[in-house]
Amino acid sequence: MKTTTKKRVQMILHEKCPICAEGAVFEKEKKHFFSIPQMKEECSNCGYHFEREPGYFIGAMYISYGLGVLEGLTAFLLSKFFVSEISHVLLFVIIISAILLSSYWNFRKARVIWLNIFPQ
Ligand SMILES: [Zn+2]
């Protein structure tokens, strides 16, 4: 069965298994605010092992980097658009804050995107 692009996007947004689209990739609970997201070892629905080999998710760092660049660029453009006179230091702080605040989300989405790029 071929998975459509629309289905892949839904699986990424809902962080579901790239094979069955039912099981969650990450644990639900968050231990504390600064905790790293806990990924399940395998799908609770179909048993698909998410980390197929040691270091499998190293490639997801490239995706996380790309997401961070997009968020930093968005923060830069919004800052320039809404504030006419803004210092470089404040602009730097805004961009770094946007990237740091979105790092939890980036970590999760980068891994799910990586799983969906190479599902088998
Ligand atoms: Zn599954």
Side-chain angles (χ1 to χ4, degrees), residues 55-74:
Y56 176 70
F57 288 109
I58 288 175
M61 290 192 311
Y62 296 106
I63 294 169
S64 182
Y65 172 75
L67 291 172
V69 167
L70 284 176
E71 289 150 2
L73 189 63
T74 303

Side-chain angles (χ1 to χ4, degrees), residues 8-24:
R8 286 266 174 233
V9 170
Q10 287 176 340
M11 286 191 283
I12 290 168
L13 290 176
H14 296 108
E15 298 175 348
K16 296 295 182 184
C17 170
I19 304 300
C20 69
E22 294 293 327

Side-chain angles (χ1 to χ4, degrees), residues 1-12 17-21 116 119-120:
M1 183 178 82
K2 185 170 180 347
T3 307
T4 63
T5 304
K6 182 180 176 187
K7 184 78 175 169
R8 286 266 174 233
V9 170
Q10 287 176 340
M11 286 191 283
I12 290 168
C17 170
I19 304 300
C20 69
N116 277 279
Q120 292 290 329

Side-chain angles (χ1 to χ4, degrees), residues 17-23 43-48 50:
C17 170
I19 304 300
C20 69
E22 294 293 327
C43 176
S44 57
N45 188 48
C46 69
Y48 176 70
F50 293 126

Side-chain angles (χ1 to χ4, degrees), residues 66-120:
L67 291 172
V69 167
L70 284 176
E71 289 150 2
L73 189 63
T74 303
F76 170 77
L77 292 174
L78 288 175
S79 300
K80 283 294 205 183
F81 181 76
F82 287 112
V83 183
S84 58
E85 295 289 324
I86 188 166
S87 71
H88 289 119
V89 174
L90 182 59
L91 195 56
F92 178 77
V93 169
I94 289 171
I95 292 170
I96 295 300
S97 299
I99 292 171
L100 288 177
L101 288 173
S102 61
S103 61
Y104 182 84
W105 184 85
N106 285 353
F107 182 91
R108 295 173 69 108
K109 293 303 176 200
R111 286 191 171 212
V112 176
I113 290 170
W114 188 254
L115 278 171
N116 277 279
I117 290 175
F118 305 106
Q120 292 290 329

